[in-house]
Amino acid sequence: GEDVEQSLFLSVREGDSSVINCTYTDSSSTYLYWYKQEPGAGLQLLTYIFSNMDMKQDQRLTVLLNKKDKHLSLRIADTQTGDSAIYFCAERPLSGGYNKLIFGAGTRLAVHP
Amino acid sequence: DVKVTQSSRYLVKRTGEKVFLECVQDMDHENMFWYRQDPGLGLRLIYFSYDVKMKEKGDIPEGYSVSREKKERFSLILESASTNQTSMYLCASSAQGGAEAFFGQGTRLTVV
């Protein structure tokens, strides 16, 4: 079946790197996503990676995909207090058809001075 | 900029009321989705639509229905609201074949 798992909480010091991990079960997934949700807000698409890629970098964000282990990670360099939010990992299975996404429970990132 | 707009940020309704949550997108997207978000459970898909008047059940459709009479608008209907439908509701849209899904700001519904 389709399932996405991620740890629920991560705490980092301002200026350090954050690494948020995610595992998924559907090997047919075409795209994998990271969304950010700030308090009281909707979801903001941070970045996504196509399943035939291993890595994608976008400014402070680095996404790593290990397709063999079905493991996705998001690294945030030089983490700032404004990065405090919930981060959702999502997969788009091939069987989804209409861009249906399967989400993890979300990782709450807390950045402290 | 893609915009997905949900009609209300906060709603308080009584048990048994019929509730309408509205969502409008301005990018001519074919696909629209309704999710609910609960702590520790992430987002769960209620219903989605891939064209006008077309709808498909998601993972948790019970107690909900939807309507898509126009391409830009997708409505979620709670026929008889219950307290276990207290949640954050998120609407999203995407283009057919497109990689990205865009979300609205969410509606926090409380049923008392």
Side-chain angles (χ1 to χ4, degrees):
Chain A
E2 304 155 339
D3 196 17
V4 177
E5 293 194 358
Q6 47 184 133
S7 54
L8 293 183
F9 191 75
L10 177 66
S11 177
V12 299
R13 192 181 301 274
E14 193 174 9
D16 286 353
S17 291
S18 309
V19 179
I20 303 172
N21 294 299
C22 168
T23 57
Y24 60 98
T25 55
D26 194 327
S27 56
S28 75
S29 287
T30 53
Y31 291 94
L32 294 124
Y33 301 81
W34 285 104
Y35 281 86
K36 176 183 180 182
Q37 185 181 39
E38 296 179 356
L43 269 66
Q44 171 197 350
L45 178 63
L46 276 182
T47 187
Y48 63 93
I49 187 167
F50 190 53
S51 58
N52 68 354
M53 296 169 65
D54 298 324
M55 186 182 92
K56 181 177 180 182
Q57 187 151 2
D58 184 2
Q59 298 181 354
R60 290 191 299 123
L61 304 179
T62 303
V63 177
L64 295 178
L65 175 60
N66 181 329
K67 204 170 175 184
K68 175 175 166 287
D69 294 338
K70 300 193 194 75
H71 182 266
L72 182 75
S73 68
L74 174 70
R75 178 177 179 269
I76 305 172
D78 186 26
T79 311
Q80 302 297 309
T81 54
D83 295 323
S84 294
I86 301 176
Y87 290 81
F88 290 94
C89 169
E91 63 169 343
R92 185 173 125 190
L94 188 63
S95 58
Y98 303 105
N99 295 14
K100 195 169 89 165
L101 299 181
I102 311 296
F103 284 85
T107 299
R108 184 178 294 275
L109 174 65
V111 182
H112 56 89
Chain B
D1 255 7
V2 174
K3 198 149 188 178
V4 180
T5 304
Q6 296 181 227
S7 54
S8 305
R9 290 294 303 272
Y10 301 95
L11 274 180
V12 180
K13 297 291 181 181
R14 294 192 182 280
T15 302
E17 273 194 81
K18 190 168 185 175
V19 181
F20 293 85
L21 303 184
E22 307 285 350
C23 175
V24 176
Q25 51 94 3
D26 65 359
M27 283 302 291
D28 203 36
H29 284 167
E30 291 81 8
N31 305 318
M32 295 188 75
F33 308 82
W34 276 106
Y35 291 87
R36 68 175 276 177
Q37 180 185 4
D38 299 289
L41 296 177
L43 277 72
R44 293 178 291 166
L45 183 64
I46 305 171
Y47 266 97
F48 66 99
S49 168
Y50 52 91
D51 201 352
V52 175
K53 296 192 188 294
M54 306 304 286
K55 60 186 179 186
E56 293 280 344
K57 291 180 181 178
D59 299 317
I60 50 162
E62 296 78 19
Y64 303 95
S65 62
V66 290
S67 171
R68 191 156 181 212
E69 296 296 318
K70 293 186 178 181
K71 193 175 184 181
E72 66 270 19
R73 186 180 295 271
F74 192 35
S75 303
L76 180 70
I77 304 154
L78 287 68
E79 296 289 342
S80 177
S82 64
T83 54
N84 63 12
Q85 292 178 310
T86 291
S87 187
M88 171 76 115
Y89 290 87
L90 291 159
C91 174
S93 74
S94 68
Q96 186 58 26
E100 302 176 41
F102 299 90
F103 281 80
Q105 77 277 25
T107 297
R108 186 166 293 282
L109 172 68
T110 302
V111 182
V112 297

